[in-house]
Amino acid sequence: MLYPKITATRSLLNLAGVWNFKADYQEEGYHKHWYKNGLKDYELMPVPASYNDITVEARLRDFVGDVWYEKKTIVPKQWKDENIFIRIGSASHNSKVWINGTLVKEYIGGFLPFEANITDVIKYGEENHIVICVNNELTWQTLPPGEVYYFEDAEGNKKKKQKQQHDFFNYSGIHRNVYLYTTPKSHIEDITIKTDYKDTLGLVHYEVCRNEALNEVNIEVYDEDNQLVGTSTGGIGTVEIKAVKLWKPQNAYLYKFVVKTLTGDSLVDQYELNIGVRTVKIENGQFMINNEPFYFKGFGKHEDMDVKGKGLDDAINIRDYNLLNWINANSFRTAHYPYSEEILDLADRYGIVIIGETPAVGMLGQAVPAVGELDGVFREDKINDETLKEHIRLTKEMIARDKNHPAVVMWSLSNEASVMEPKAEVYFEKLVTETRKVDDRPLINVSLMLIEPGKCKVSKFFDVIGLNLYFGWYSEKGDIDAGGKRLKKWLQDWYDAEKKPILLAEYGIDTIAGLHKEPAIMFSEEFQVEFLKAYHGVFDQLPFVIGEHVWNFSDFMTGQDIVRVDGNKKGVFTRQRQPKMAAHYLRKRWGSLKNTYTK
Ligand code: GCB
């Protein structure tokens, strides 16, 4: 799916700004036809942003159900002969879109874009009425999974609540940009790029998909100085680039890939992509980028910030990349869902390697020891065939969206699923088979520390093992020494059982910025540094560990819980993106480890 862009043949209107908004506390929006009649007694809400932290009302912060957004906009009459689409970058979690009273799109999923062709319902040169209803309820058939339940308060009022298995706040609303955009009637629908190189010759294999194959296709590739370095014709082909400059981690080089469709000499449609030439594969137990072993240094992150929640924000995103550069990180995982396309564009430009994760987080019961077939979650009434269908759909949609980013080197298909259950084996085998049909990047699955070495039923389907380990924190509490010993044995046992490269996908501790203790105790800045040092001492001895992603890049909001003090505090940076002591330590370590660090 192509990102909406202004080109020689396409126009774009960004509807970011202030929208009308109403939370449907009485569940009356549908029968009062708000989608047609409009919102009365509305409040104002920014888009993009989560709505939860914008007001001072707890009932909106914790709201479970439908909220309604409304915007009126004129569409220029010059757009009359074009196709017009509405495109929402993401809204959490389920959406319906009406234009001038007509339902044009229903979409399930909180982290991926959706769009509708609205050419037939739009009015030109006049005001159009756009209504989007966003619902934030999670079930066992959505990703992430969750469960809605009702409880009665002391006055007998029935209240809807959301149970969730994941450790981040269920931020809701329209989180990314809403665009109206045009394409010519005969237009480019999709582009797929795969790159390779032989010696110094870059090879860009491409495929252009069009809604009708009436026109010629011309390809031009430009370097960063805007010099034409390669051309091709036809819908499928290869562009050769002499003396190619590779896209490298922390040393990005991007070419501009221009697709033009033509009738004779006249331009019909045009679209442009930034691309990078690089290869990825696993060889001899190493993760290879451009045929060199790559060592992952970085973080699991979140889309999360004060006030805006999960709303797209260029300032915070660029701040984050500046901090990643400063700390000498080379990569992060989009834990625990696909991040915005804008974040991935920046990764391409900054040379930060990305592991793209699906929203399959927490496919596991609340009572975690409940593994094994009877008490597990892979069963008819929980994670079932319908969930698998959604998992496959969302994985394919994520790949369709992100496949052309040079920064994305691997897909993570789930975080912390209950993978010791026999039924998980069948589930994951199908998921992996379907995923490999659409893309050839390596696949990783990420497991929590309750999944014991040798007992995982699904690792055999994957290329890399991801482990989230907190020995010395959630177990061996406060005893870093004992935690470190357990860690070493655990990693060795996992390797012996699976014989696959291992990425430490999470390790870290909650740290209250400004809390200092000597000798260190849990929650102090000193403890965070000592914990990380102990873990690194172990990783450095184990050749099969191919990388270290600290949990988390920054503090982030969660639901309320006795183990969460105003959110999860495992950040190496605060939620306001300032360094804790550990940031200085990591900066030194990662500055001295090369990307191609071999042990
Ligand atoms: C995990 C989860 C992550 C949590 C983290 C923690 O293993 O993957 O979402 O936030 O642990 O801090 O407990």
Side-chain angles (χ1 to χ4, degrees):
M1 185 190 240
L2 299 177
Y3 189 82
K5 275 183 190 169
I6 297 187
T7 72
T9 56
R10 295 169 175 232
S11 307
L12 183 69
L13 183 62
N14 187 349
L15 297 178
V18 179
W19 288 48
N20 301 340
F21 173 89
K22 194 163 171 163
D24 197 354
Y25 295 111
Q26 313 302 330
E27 301 191 358
E28 58 189 351
Y30 281 100
H31 72 257
K32 291 199 172 161
H33 308 293
W34 289 356
Y35 47 90
K36 196 162 67 201
N37 299 338
L39 305 184
K40 304 209 170 53
D41 306 318
Y42 54 79
E43 55 191 318
L44 301 181
M45 196 52 74
V47 170
S50 304
Y51 59 73
N52 310 77
D53 294 344
I54 302 293
T55 74
V56 290
E57 283 186 64
R59 72 170 184 162
L60 183 59
R61 183 194 59 204
D62 301 329
F63 182 67
V64 180
D66 293 335
V67 300
W68 296 74
Y69 288 83
E70 175 182 57
K71 185 86 178 167
K72 292 181 181 146
T73 185
I74 293 182
V75 168
K77 62 180 192 309
Q78 291 88 326
W79 285 17
K80 215 169 174 10
D81 297 325
E82 310 292 317
N83 277 329
I84 304 189
F85 292 85
I86 185 166
R87 204 239 205 210
I88 293 101
S90 78
S92 294
H93 294 279
N94 312 309
S95 308
K96 288 189 184 164
V97 184
W98 291 264
I99 308 279
N100 299 326
T102 303
L103 180 68
V104 295
K105 186 77 188 176
E106 286 185 62
Y107 183 77
I108 294 179
F111 304 96
L112 287 166
F114 49 98
E115 63 178 21
N117 186 331
I118 56 171
T119 315
D120 294 339
V121 291
I122 215 81
K123 293 186 271 184
Y124 299 90
E126 306 177 39
E127 207 166 63
N128 290 274
H129 185 219
I130 302 171
V131 175
I132 305 178
C133 177
V134 184
N135 172 285
N136 64 351
E137 294 172 27
L138 300 171
T139 72
W140 283 104
Q141 279 62 57
T142 61
L143 295 182
E147 219 172 304
V148 172
Y149 67 101
Y150 292 85
F151 93 114
E152 257 179 36
D153 66 13
E155 282 98 52
N157 301 315
K158 228 174 161 198
K159 284 199 175 149
K160 213 192 238 181
K161 289 260 191 185
Q162 176 73 63
K163 209 187 264 172
Q164 59 178 61
Q165 275 87 247
H166 52 277
D167 180 38
F168 53 93
F169 193 85
N170 190 29
Y171 277 119
S172 310
I174 301 178
H175 284 152
R176 299 177 191 157
N177 284 327
V178 180
Y179 288 117
L180 297 186
Y181 74 95
T182 70
T183 71
K185 295 283 183 209
S186 176
H187 60 272
I188 300 159
E189 279 188 328
D190 195 19
I191 302 167
T192 305
I193 303 285
K194 284 198 185 323
T195 61
D196 201 350
Y197 59 90
K198 285 207 178 74
D199 302 321
T200 59
L201 186 67
L203 300 169
V204 180
H205 308 299
Y206 70 88
E207 186 169 350
V208 177
C209 171
R210 291 163 284 163
N211 69 325
E212 37 185 43
L214 299 175
N215 317 107
E216 298 295 307
V217 178
N218 273 8
I219 308 290
E220 293 159 7
V221 177
Y222 295 87
D223 67 12
E224 287 186 354
D225 299 319
N226 232 6
Q227 298 301 307
L228 184 67
V229 291
T231 58
S232 179
T233 54
I236 299 183
T238 299
V239 182
E240 296 188 348
I241 304 174
K242 291 197 182 107
V244 67
K245 294 202 175 84
L246 297 180
W247 186 95
K248 293 183 180 163
Q250 293 177 291
N251 191 5
Y253 192 92
L254 293 175
Y255 291 95
K256 193 162 68 181
F257 187 90
V258 182
V259 182
K260 292 179 179 169
T261 59
L262 303 140
T263 305
D265 281 345
S266 91
L267 181 67
V268 177
D269 194 12
Q270 178 164 339
Y271 192 86
E272 303 175 3
L273 271 181
N274 283 332
I275 63 160
V277 179
R278 59 108 185 87
T279 61
V280 171
K281 68 178 172 210
I282 299 208
E283 200 173 70
N284 301 328
Q286 298 289 329
F287 196 97
M288 313 289 278
I289 299 183
N290 301 332
N291 296 311
E292 289 183 18
F294 176 73
Y295 190 78
F296 291 81
K297 305 177 284 187
F299 300 94
K301 271 182 110 277
H302 264 300
E303 288 181 312
D304 177 273
M305 64 180 291
D306 280 333
V307 185
K308 264 186 143 176
K310 290 201 178 306
L312 172 71
D313 189 283
D314 292 333
I316 208 85
N317 290 342
I318 291 183
R319 170 79 182 171
D320 283 3
Y321 279 102
N322 284 324
L323 292 175
L324 287 164
N325 276 343
W326 173 85
I327 204 168
N328 296 309
N330 61 14
S331 55
F332 67 84
R333 173 171 62 120
T334 70
H336 295 306
Y337 38 82
Y339 290 2
S340 71
E341 292 150 288
E342 291 79 359
I343 289 180
L344 299 188
D345 281 343
L346 291 172
D348 291 342
R349 293 172 72 172
Y350 282 99
I352 294 291
V353 167
I354 300 288
I355 301 172
E357 187 157 275
T358 70
V361 49
M363 297 202 309
L364 149 118
Q366 291 272 305
V368 184
V371 281
E373 195 162 14
L374 281 180
D375 298 313
V377 291
F378 286 86
R379 58 187 221 201
E380 257 336 285
D381 61 332
K382 291 200 168 169
I383 305 288
N384 57 21
D385 285 350
E386 214 182 306
T387 321
L388 173 61
K389 220 169 105 198
E390 280 302 274
H391 202 156
I392 292 170
R393 174 180 70 87
L394 293 168
T395 303
K396 287 187 176 172
E397 284 184 23
M398 172 180 79
I399 294 173
R401 191 195 70 160
D402 298 340
K403 62 190 172 187
N404 294 329
H405 288 283
V408 178
V409 299
M410 179 153 63
W411 308 113
S412 166
L413 297 194
S414 89
N415 182 73
E416 305 202 330
S418 183
V419 287
M420 294 199 297
E421 291 179 37
K423 282 192 177 153
E425 182 170 348
V426 184
Y427 182 103
F428 274 89
E429 184 170 21
K430 286 188 187 147
L431 175 66
V432 168
T433 305
E434 286 302 311
T435 306
R436 293 208 198 272
K437 281 185 194 162
V438 293
D439 199 76
D440 57 7
R441 284 172 177 84
L443 302 180
I444 184 173
N445 191 52
V446 178
S447 286
L448 73 165
M449 59 200 238
L450 290 158
I451 306 301
E452 295 165 37
K455 294 198 183 165
C456 177
K457 296 270 191 286
V458 315
S459 290
K460 61 182 171 211
F461 305 126
F462 287 86
D463 306 297
V464 177
I465 312 273
L467 296 179
N468 299 344
L469 301 178
Y470 296 91
F471 305 123
W473 183 255
Y474 287 130
S475 66
E476 296 86 20
K477 296 174 187 169
D479 189 342
I480 291 177
D481 199 39
K485 290 201 175 99
R486 175 107 183 265
L487 171 74
K488 189 165 178 201
K489 177 160 174 18
W490 192 268
L491 289 173
Q492 190 63 55
D493 289 350
W494 260 93
Y495 182 72
D496 292 345
E498 308 292 345
K499 292 277 182 297
K500 293 193 176 178
I502 293 178
L503 171 76
L504 266 292
E506 289 181 23
Y507 62 107
I509 69 136
D510 287 85
T511 307
I512 307 300
L515 178 67
H516 291 282
K517 286 279 172 175
E518 199 57 60
I521 62 164
M522 291 172 88
F523 295 100
S524 67
E525 296 209 25
E526 284 78 4
F527 194 87
Q528 192 179 30
V529 173
E530 286 182 21
F531 178 95
L532 296 177
K533 273 190 184 158
Y535 271 55
H536 296 151
V538 173
F539 304 161
D540 290 348
Q541 298 169 40
L542 303 176
F544 51 81
V545 170
I546 59 157
E548 49 195 62
H549 276 177
V550 177
W551 190 255
N552 189 285
F553 173 78
S554 58
D555 295 345
F556 60 92
M557 194 45 66
T558 63
Q560 299 186 56
D561 198 336
I562 47 167
V563 293
R564 295 287 175 259
V565 187
D566 187 30
N568 187 311
K569 292 282 187 275
K570 293 194 184 68
V572 164
F573 297 97
T574 63
R575 201 179 191 208
Q576 293 68 39
R577 277 46 176 194
Q578 296 301 337
K580 299 180 189 171
M581 244 169 80
H584 300 280
Y585 157 66
L586 283 170
R587 182 170 187 238
K588 255 199 209 134
R589 170 173 169 83
W590 289 343
S592 67
L593 292 185
K594 300 282 162 267
N595 287 341
T596 54
Y597 163 69
T598 35
K599 295 164 192 168

